[in-house]
Amino acid sequence: MLVSTVFEHQVSVRWRDVDGLGHVNHAVFLTYLEEGRDAFYVQALGRDPHYVVARVEIDMRAEVRCAGRQLRVRIEVERVGATSLTTRETILTPAGVTAAEARVVTVLWDAGARKPMAFAAGERARLAAY
């Protein structure tokens, strides 16, 4: 039986992330998710792969202010396809409050050929462990 692992990565709230209302602007949540996803790919695959985002669904759940300074991005794998990876991604405040929940589909990308490429069998297995 394979036990799934949850990946977590800490991200910093920067002063420029905060808008005129005093909270982190909604568009910045995508950057936090990307930072977490990049770190996840490096840990899961042991390399920094090229990928493109094909789909993002995000629900904002709680306000994030600059005061906390640190957030956690949690990544869990929902589905590993031949060339795509679907993840559930969560942004958590220092108090453990869910600030945002997202479902993201990424596609492994061959930058030279400018097209999707398949995950190797070993990569698929490592991703599926999450």
Side-chain angles (χ1 to χ4, degrees):
M1 181 172 113
L2 186 62
V3 177
S4 67
T5 302
V6 175
F7 175 83
E8 288 192 355
H9 179 75
Q10 190 167 310
V11 296
S12 297
V13 176
R14 297 165 293 263
W15 178 83
R16 68 175 176 85
D17 297 345
V18 179
D19 63 19
L21 297 175
H23 62 234
V24 172
N25 184 274
H26 67 280
V28 179
F29 281 66
L30 294 170
T31 300
Y32 297 155
L33 294 173
E34 182 179 41
E35 288 178 29
R37 190 178 326 108
D38 287 350
F40 164 76
Y41 261 122
V42 168
Q43 179 172 306
L45 300 183
R47 64 184 177 90
D48 191 5
H50 294 283
Y51 69 87
V52 294
V53 175
R55 181 176 177 85
V56 176
E57 301 169 32
I58 186 167
D59 294 310
M60 309 305 185
R61 300 288 184 206
E63 178 182 48
V64 174
R65 299 185 63 82
C66 196
R69 303 301 276 181
Q70 298 295 314
L71 301 171
R72 285 180 293 135
V73 175
R74 179 178 293 158
I75 310 277
E76 298 174 83
V77 171
E78 181 179 291
R79 180 182 175 279
V80 181
T83 63
S84 67
L85 178 69
T86 304
T87 50
R88 294 284 180 178
E89 302 180 7
T90 307
I91 298 173
L92 300 161
T93 68
V97 174
T98 298
E101 296 175 303
R103 183 172 182 257
V104 182
V105 178
T106 56
V107 175
L108 192 61
W109 192 250
D110 183 329
R114 311 300 301 165
K115 65 179 188 176
M117 63 184 283
F119 288 107
E123 291 175 332
R124 289 175 50 80
R126 286 192 299 276
L127 291 169
Y130 289 90

